[in-house]
Amino acid sequence: MDFNGLQDRIRGSVLGGAVGDALGFPVNGLRSYEKIQQRYGPRGITCLDTDHLWQMVGHQGGKAPVSDSTQLTLYTVWGMLYEPENGLTMLEVITYAYVEWYLEQSGWKNTRFERCWLRQVPGLNQRCTPDNTSLLALRTIFEGKDYVNRSNGHGAVTRVAPVPLYAVVTGKGIEEADRLAADVARITHHHPLGYLSAALEAHVIYRLVRDGWPTRTRLTSYVREGLDTLVRLFPDELKSVEYLSRLVERAVGLSASYRSNVEAVESLGRGETAEEVLAIAIYCALKHFGKGAEAMRAAVNHAGHSSATGSVTGHILGAAVGYRQLPRSIAGKLAFHDLILHMADDLCRGRLTEYPDERRHP
């Protein structure tokens, strides 16, 4: 794949995740599909909400805001590309970036954490129902304390898409990408199902980005190849791998069934855990492969954590179809569209570039 093709796929994955996040965010608090229909009509939410949600979160009007899923995805990009002078590892820099995000979420200032320019973008760090596990884990890291949790919450998978994308750019192997994605998830989520799901997501995205002509059949094969790879990479977590495999295989089976999207998605869970989010995203990507709008709608119209399931579905589908297949209208509707696109291009270039101050606005 030439540079333009790779750039389009990387843009598609990063922006696709943001679109799915923004589409699902307005219905996160609605605990049934019927309530979604009451607010948005018989088909549920079908397009970005640019009129109402911003009033609730203090966001600038006219744009559909993103949640912490996209915020942390951008901080992951920055952490992967920033080159520190003191020899820190990439994982340590990503952790540092997450702590900067945490401090901004908490309204704290600390001169040791003032390197990431994303903190200075008005509105980008708006507190939008952030994952409590991430907040607690990052606070503990900031305080220099040892902390181990047993969380496999959705935050483990919503931010790791840049890892396989950058691995493709830099020529790293797929198993190295899988391991790093697991390590990035494990910064805040220590339950095996959290970081195993992140590794599987990375495996699928890596394969899709490198596939010149992805198909539904190939996507299925990448999912199953990823599950087999987990057995090799994480031999001490075979029970968790087995559980994840059963759930994902159920998602694959449902994608070939005649059950409604809402029924199928809710039978996989509520998207509160990493494995549920990933299974729902795999179902939506397979069920509506080649029909991105339908896949996104299926991913968010359910009684669950819609921004998380929309985000991961967007990361996976965007890696398969690219940015050019996303609706042109999102440029004018999605908050921080140009900034997100800039970060995606930096990821493709493999280095951070300047983003002018006058453009740091939604």
Side-chain angles (χ1 to χ4, degrees):
M1 188 178 296
D2 62 15
F3 177 84
N4 289 335
L6 180 60
Q7 181 185 47
D8 184 57
R9 297 294 187 86
I10 290 175
R11 284 179 163 189
S13 185
V14 177
L15 265 294
V19 171
D21 176 19
L23 182 64
F25 188 28
V27 297
N28 262 347
L30 303 181
R31 307 306 292 177
S32 72
Y33 180 53
E34 289 73 21
K35 291 186 179 296
I36 297 174
Q37 291 174 307
Q38 289 171 12
R39 176 178 291 186
Y40 289 101
R43 297 179 61 204
I45 188 166
T46 60
C47 60
L48 295 177
D49 184 343
T50 60
D51 299 321
H52 305 291
L53 184 64
W54 60 271
Q55 296 176 351
M56 290 187 259
V57 299
H59 203 281
Q60 293 190 21
K63 301 282 188 177
V66 295
S67 78
D68 62 302
S69 297
T70 300
Q71 293 171 359
L72 280 169
T73 297
L74 297 179
Y75 277 82
T76 303
V77 175
W78 185 89
M80 298 188 75
L81 299 181
Y82 182 75
E83 296 183 6
E85 299 177 355
N86 53 1
L88 295 176
T89 67
M90 180 180 291
L91 185 63
E92 289 171 329
V93 180
I94 293 172
T95 304
Y96 171 94
Y98 289 173
V99 171
E100 284 218 15
W101 170 83
Y102 161 73
L103 291 174
E104 193 65 26
Q105 292 286 297
S106 304
W108 294 357
K109 303 296 181 183
N110 188 290
T111 56
R112 292 191 299 120
F113 294 89
E114 293 182 342
R115 291 185 176 88
C116 184
W117 62 266
L118 292 170
R119 287 187 68 186
Q120 304 167 13
V121 179
L124 178 62
N125 298 281
Q126 179 76 38
R127 190 158 180 158
C128 301
T129 60
D131 173 28
N132 288 330
T133 297
S134 295
L135 290 175
L136 180 57
L138 293 171
R139 175 176 180 170
T140 306
I141 292 170
F142 171 65
E143 293 174 347
K145 300 176 182 177
D146 291 331
Y147 174 69
V148 177
N149 61 44
R150 293 290 294 172
S151 176
N152 55 329
H154 58 82
V157 290
T158 54
R159 63 178 191 246
V160 299
V163 174
L165 300 176
Y166 187 61
V168 172
V169 169
T170 54
K172 291 180 169 41
I174 190 169
E175 292 190 3
E176 185 175 353
D178 297 350
R179 286 186 183 278
L180 181 57
D183 288 340
V184 168
R186 197 155 32 192
I187 292 171
T188 54
H189 293 72
H190 302 154
H191 192 288
L193 285 171
Y195 58 80
L196 291 172
S197 298
L200 179 57
E201 178 190 352
H203 193 99
V204 171
I205 290 174
Y206 185 103
R207 286 294 190 216
L208 287 173
V209 167
R210 297 191 65 195
D211 189 335
W213 300 97
T215 63
R216 185 183 188 280
T217 300
R218 288 181 179 177
L219 174 54
T220 303
S221 70
Y222 298 151
V223 169
R224 288 173 172 157
E225 177 190 90
L227 290 170
D228 290 340
T229 303
L230 293 182
V231 174
R232 291 199 312 276
L233 295 182
F234 303 94
D236 295 333
E237 305 296 347
L238 294 183
K239 287 186 177 180
S240 293
V241 173
E242 182 181 353
Y243 178 86
L244 178 60
S245 297
R246 289 198 303 268
L247 183 62
V248 167
E249 286 292 352
R250 194 193 321 161
V252 173
L254 285 168
S255 71
S257 74
Y258 292 99
R259 298 175 73 174
S260 71
N261 286 323
V262 176
E263 183 182 5
V265 166
E266 293 185 355
S267 73
L268 293 169
R270 301 180 62 89
E272 302 291 347
T273 66
E275 66 273 17
E276 290 175 355
V277 170
L278 184 60
I280 290 169
I282 288 171
Y283 162 81
C284 294
L286 287 172
K287 180 73 173 182
H288 302 285
F289 194 86
K291 300 178 181 178
E294 289 301 314
M296 290 287 201
R297 291 166 187 156
V300 303
N301 281 290
H302 59 85
H305 207 290
S306 299
S307 65
T309 52
S311 176
V312 176
T313 301
H315 286 313
I316 292 173
L317 277 177
V321 304
Y323 175 69
R324 288 191 292 266
Q325 295 300 314
L326 297 178
R328 296 297 89 194
S329 61
I330 68 169
K333 294 181 178 180
L334 179 68
F336 310 107
H337 171 276
D338 292 349
L339 185 152
I340 298 168
L341 196 64
H342 177 89
M343 295 298 286
D345 288 346
D346 276 0
L347 195 61
C348 190
R349 287 185 285 260
R351 59 187 176 86
L352 293 171
T353 60
E354 288 293 325
Y355 191 74
D357 286 343
E358 63 270 17
R359 297 183 63 194
R360 294 183 184 182
H361 297 275

